[in-house]
Amino acid sequence: MKIQSRVHCFGDDIDTDKIIPARYLNTSDPAELARHCLEDEDPTFAGRVRPGEIIVAGENFGCGSSREHAPLAIKAAGVACVIAKSFARIFYRNAINIGLPILECSAIEGVETGHELSVDLERGEITDLTTGRTYRAAPFPPFMKELIAAGGLVNYVRRKLGVDKN
Amino acid sequence: MGMTVTEKILAAHADLPEVVPGQLIMARVDLALANDITAPVAIREFARMGVKEVFDATRIALVPDHFTPNKDISSAEQARLVRDFAREQGIVHYFEVGRMGIEHCLLPEQGLVAPGELIVGADSHTCTYGALGAFATGVGSTDLAAVMATGEIWLRVPETIKFVYTGRLRPWVGGKDLILYTIGRIGVDGARYAAMEFTGPVVHELSMDSRFTMANMAIEAGAKNGIFPVDEKTHAYLAGRIKRPFRVYESDPDARYRQVYEWDVSELTPLVARPHLPENVAPARELREVIIDQVVIGSCPNGRMEDLRIAASLLRGRRVHPRVRLIVIPGTQAIYLEALREGLIEIFIDAGAAVSTPTCGPCLGGHMGILARNERAVATTNRNFVGRMGHPESEVYLAGPAVAAASAVLGRIADPEEVAG
């Protein structure tokens, strides 16, 4: 799958409280969570982000809590893909499990908010169309590719338990 | 090639003779945990998996502790969803308000965690149970749903970083100071994806309560799990709580580590982590100009008896500063009762503190002590992120119970020596 869209950039250590503050965790309704996505980092983000756009961030994206509401909020806000230099491990698992596309790319530099990015999710190829620079994301291990191909962990478990036939 | 304790526990739960870092395994889960925030999403995903019954109703713990006693109508609805699911599924370890506690204080206390076991929880601080020599890690709600359905989880075997603490701790320096020091040294992603193995003569001197504090905050360095060796103090803690057989694993002498840090901590003084990351560590005595509005003593790192005793020792016969609201939250009903019988609760109330029923409440900005704009708190909690305890322009300084109690008395960040004299 290929994505081409505008970028929103964030720095290092964007924690799950910034992505979705606990004051909104008395619901798990994705639309409601999306309204407050990244609110404590940038209160204007939820209002500005358009479906299909891309987040590019620094190190340790999604550190902190295990709240799945964080990737849910990002996904429901319409973000098509999150690219970060590195991800905190629970966020990484959660994103794959719920089918939010993510790419880990330690080499990504010089991408700025407003740049146009082209991303090939299968190949892990990232091109900054504004600067012409290209980057390659870390490949997923085969098991994770299987999870992603299944559309997330729910479908994977359904198949494994024979609820759905292959 | 030798294995670390973490590798051994993972291998045993995947029925493999050995595992190596980076390997993906399917592991058997001994206990799965969720709370009133993470369980509702897990229950929804569980239903979507098309499974009727949980894999084992005795191996799931549901603890409504974050927004309970229910803080508003939405929270009440979430808590009811968890309660209904627990009834339907016959979940044995469901803990209702009045009989519950903060999950990571409660589960070890109730004998639900033993050395060598594999525990996953839909709460990032599940790593707390490594204090008992278990492998314990936080996961999200969909992962938890899959565990409830299958009893298994996929895990990547982490590399291990070994921490060797030597020397002798000074008075008023405890587990919280040691873990803040560690995070300050390696950073909030210094152990990302890795296991933190806490060793050295100092850890054997630490109480179990201090070990829980340290293991609890392994996640604040990005770790998958934190783990302690099992010694006579562990066995003393387990006696009377655990009747089932368990197996103690130890790291081999030739186990492979990503890194080994050896630190003499004899000179360590009580520490504080400044906003807005747990790695922003400084000695309390260097922050004496920081005026505060609130102090919270409690939560999953520091809501245990040792913490309450330390706080009470500094508050006995003293008053909370007029500017400060001190909120004390015992971690479980059993701790609350023990503190009551020991006279600690009376000391807190005499000093001018509010004492609350167990809840995670203020730590995550849920309820029971939300901060207003520009307010500042010293808290024995584990996160000081932007907006963590309330308004995005409020601040949280993390500390152990001694610094927290001393700060409550002086109305500013204080080293316990200033109060104890």
Side-chain angles (χ1 to χ4, degrees):
Chain A
M1 192 180 131
K2 278 192 179 171
I3 302 163
Q4 184 180 327
S5 195
R6 198 166 61 114
V7 170
H8 299 267
C9 280
F10 294 92
D12 293 340
D13 302 318
I14 298 296
D15 61 67
T16 48
D17 283 77
K18 281 181 177 168
I19 298 171
I20 185 74
R23 58 185 178 274
Y24 303 121
L25 296 186
N26 55 5
T27 176
S28 59
D29 171 28
E32 180 62 24
L33 296 172
R35 272 194 278 282
H36 305 290
C37 183
L38 282 154
E39 185 172 290
D40 285 358
E41 175 66 15
D42 176 358
T44 69
F45 176 75
R48 285 189 296 118
V49 66
R50 296 287 165 261
E53 291 184 339
I54 297 164
I55 287 177
V56 172
E59 304 282 356
N60 206 25
F61 187 85
C63 62
S65 151
S66 69
R67 61 187 72 159
E68 205 160 288
H69 312 65
L72 277 174
I74 293 174
K75 191 182 177 191
V79 171
C81 175
V82 181
I83 302 165
K85 287 187 177 178
S86 63
F87 289 93
R89 59 162 287 274
I90 306 177
F91 183 93
Y92 183 88
R93 288 184 76 101
N94 286 347
I96 288 174
N97 287 344
I98 68 156
L100 169 68
I102 55 169
L103 290 175
E104 193 161 83
C105 180
S106 58
I108 200 154
E109 283 292 346
V111 178
E112 290 172 20
T113 296
H115 284 193
E116 192 81 4
L117 231 62
S118 158
V119 181
D120 184 324
L121 287 172
E122 274 86 42
R123 291 165 179 272
E125 285 171 3
I126 303 161
T127 307
D128 185 335
L129 300 171
T130 308
T131 63
R133 290 175 72 177
T134 61
Y135 310 90
R136 184 163 282 278
F140 289 106
F143 171 73
M144 267 181 242
K145 280 187 181 160
E146 218 182 308
L147 259 185
I148 293 164
L153 187 60
V154 170
N155 292 342
Y156 179 85
V157 170
R158 286 177 70 94
R159 276 185 207 171
K160 189 174 160 181
L161 295 176
V163 179
D164 296 335
K165 300 288 171 245
N166 279 321
Chain B
M1 176 53 66
M3 287 196 285
T4 68
V5 57
T6 294
E7 289 157 7
K8 286 183 181 181
I9 296 172
L10 292 177
H13 285 79
D15 297 321
L16 295 169
E18 59 172 23
V19 296
V20 293
Q23 189 175 345
L24 284 167
I25 58 164
M26 200 45 95
R28 231 179 10 258
V29 172
D30 294 311
L31 184 74
L33 157 78
N35 59 51
D36 53 316
I37 291 180
T38 59
V41 179
I43 292 164
R44 184 172 74 197
E45 299 307 301
F46 178 81
R48 286 183 55 216
M49 285 170 187
V51 184
K52 295 278 175 289
E53 286 178 4
V54 298
F55 83 105
D56 185 341
T58 68
R59 292 186 181 276
I60 292 165
L62 296 174
V63 187
D65 57 358
H66 278 57
F67 292 160
T68 57
N70 304 330
K71 74 166 177 132
D72 54 26
I73 293 168
S74 305
S75 306
E77 298 291 348
Q78 293 201 131
R80 186 174 64 182
L81 210 146
V82 180
R83 185 180 304 116
D84 289 350
F85 179 80
R87 278 194 195 136
E88 272 164 38
Q89 295 285 336
I91 301 295
V92 176
H93 303 299
Y94 168 77
F95 296 92
E96 191 54 90
V97 168
R99 282 138 279 170
M100 51 74 82
I102 297 170
E103 49 196 349
H104 308 308
C105 300
L106 184 70
L107 265 47
E109 172 194 290
Q110 296 291 317
L112 294 177
V113 181
E117 292 185 339
L118 192 151
I119 297 113
V120 299
D123 188 279
S124 60
H125 294 109
T126 301
C127 52
T128 309
Y129 316 133
L132 292 170
F135 174 90
T137 194
V139 296
S141 294
T142 301
D143 265 326
L144 205 276
V147 173
M148 290 200 297
T150 66
E152 292 182 331
I153 190 163
W154 68 269
L155 292 168
R156 190 168 80 167
V157 178
E159 296 179 303
T160 296
I161 303 174
K162 185 176 177 176
F163 297 84
V164 188
Y165 302 95
T166 65
R168 275 196 91 81
L169 291 181
R170 296 166 83 159
W172 303 113
V173 176
K176 188 59 161 285
D177 305 290
L178 268 186
I179 192 65
L180 288 179
Y181 174 75
T182 304
I183 298 165
R185 289 290 296 260
I186 68 171
V188 291
D189 64 350
R192 206 163 37 84
Y193 291 94
M196 295 173 86
E197 192 173 314
F198 301 110
T199 70
V202 170
V203 307
H204 296 286
E205 296 297 317
L206 292 176
S207 66
M208 284 313 301
D209 285 359
S210 264
R211 296 182 202 182
F212 284 121
T213 307
M214 289 187 71
N216 175 276
M217 289 187 69
I219 179 68
E220 308 316 331
K224 183 169 217 151
N225 67 310
I227 195 159
F228 277 82
V230 173
D231 63 11
E232 58 286 359
K233 283 185 183 166
T234 325
H235 285 292
Y237 180 89
L238 295 168
R241 296 181 204 269
I242 306 264
K243 291 189 183 72
R244 62 187 178 279
F246 58 84
R247 183 161 169 199
V248 174
Y249 295 90
E250 287 174 17
S251 290
D252 292 323
D254 60 343
R256 209 182 322 187
Y257 294 96
R258 183 171 101 189
Q259 249 166 322
V260 178
Y261 293 101
E262 187 167 341
W263 293 322
D264 183 335
V265 290
S266 304
E267 297 304 311
L268 213 60
T269 60
L271 297 175
V272 171
R274 291 170 287 120
H276 290 284
L277 285 175
E279 69 184 20
N280 296 335
V281 174
R285 61 178 58 163
E286 289 177 14
L287 297 170
R288 281 188 277 203
E289 76 289 357
V290 179
I291 302 291
I292 57 170
D293 305 284
Q294 179 166 298
V295 172
V296 174
I297 298 174
S299 81
C300 60
N302 287 103
R304 299 182 183 80
M305 278 312 293
E306 177 182 70
D307 306 306
L308 300 183
R309 286 183 186 128
I310 289 170
S313 75
L314 287 160
L315 288 162
R316 187 191 312 269
R318 298 191 175 91
R319 296 284 300 167
V320 172
H321 192 279
R323 188 164 54 218
V324 172
R325 311 171 308 255
L326 170 60
I327 301 166
V328 181
I329 310 179
T332 66
Q333 290 290 88
I335 292 168
Y336 199 166
L337 198 55
E338 195 177 345
L340 189 72
R341 287 176 179 150
E342 256 186 55
L344 308 185
I345 302 299
E346 196 172 335
I347 293 171
F348 297 136
I349 293 175
D350 277 344
V355 182
S356 158
T357 192
T359 179
C360 307
C363 169
L364 75 160
H367 62 150
M368 276 303 297
I370 304 299
L371 298 175
R373 182 196 296 264
N374 292 332
E375 283 195 327
R376 243 185 237 135
V378 170
T380 65
T381 56
N382 41 31
R383 292 196 173 126
N384 54 356
F385 299 155
V386 171
R388 177 72 180 179
M389 199 175 274
H391 196 282
E393 288 166 48
S394 61
E395 292 185 342
V396 176
Y397 289 72
L398 305 176
V403 168
S407 302
V409 170
L410 294 180
R412 57 167 175 79
I413 291 180
D415 186 292
E417 296 281 3
E418 296 179 67
V419 171

